[in-house]
Amino acid sequence: MTDCVFCKIAAGEIPSAKVYEDSAVLAFRDLDPQAPTHVLIIPKEHIASAAELTPENSGVVAHIFEVAARLAKELGLEKGFRVVNNCGPDGMQSVQHLHFHLLGGKQMGWPPFPPQP
Ligand code: AMP
């Protein structure tokens, strides 16, 4: 996708603080970190969001989780980590290229929600 910022990062046209790369995925530091460690893991193939996953393209998601586990070890997240995917407007997805946030280095909170009646 020509106007996709993460496609441009994957192609090396926009610089990023890369922490891992292979033929299928790229991992780089988030510009606006929400935890002491905040890495984004993306497929190099353009998939707009988790809502666009199909039996044909979903294999990369398993690979991304393997990369997350490997990076968690390499980045010292022995006490645990969180993997987040935001999808669509209600999910507050701001970049329309599938990505997973790998967050760690602190104990996470959980978004508050009123108790159900
Ligand atoms: P989301 O809101 O789930 O779509 O997350 C998009 C994330 O991409 C945000 O956390 C941004 O801070 C991050 N981001 C946007 N542009 C860049 C960039 N050029 N390099 C690194 N992170 C970026």
Side-chain angles (χ1 to χ4, degrees):
M1 279 264 299
T2 49
D3 62 347
C4 170
V5 64
F6 285 180
C7 282
K8 288 181 178 170
I9 287 174
E13 294 165 12
I14 292 177
S16 68
K18 184 167 67 177
V19 293
Y20 176 83
E21 181 172 18
D22 62 29
S23 60
V25 307
L26 179 69
F28 53 96
R29 305 266 181 195
D30 197 293
L31 270 186
D32 181 20
Q34 303 299 311
T37 296
H38 187 169
V39 168
L40 298 173
I41 311 174
I42 69 168
K44 289 186 170 177
E45 175 192 2
H46 184 81
I47 300 170
S49 78
E52 304 300 320
L53 288 166
T54 66
E56 288 71 38
N57 67 13
S58 63
V60 73
V61 176
H63 183 53
I64 283 172
F65 273 77
E66 290 171 24
V67 170
R70 170 185 170 153
L71 288 177
K73 289 187 185 75
E74 290 178 6
L75 298 173
L77 306 181
E78 296 88 1
K79 291 174 75 178
F81 56 88
R82 182 171 288 176
V83 177
V84 173
N85 170 256
N86 297 323
C87 179
D90 278 3
M92 296 290 283
Q93 181 180 2
S94 64
V95 177
Q96 309 310 311
H97 180 126
L98 181 67
H99 53 281
F100 292 83
H101 301 254
L102 171 63
L103 299 147
K106 69 169 188 178
Q107 191 167 56
M108 301 294 159
W110 195 249
F113 189 74
Q116 298 300 292

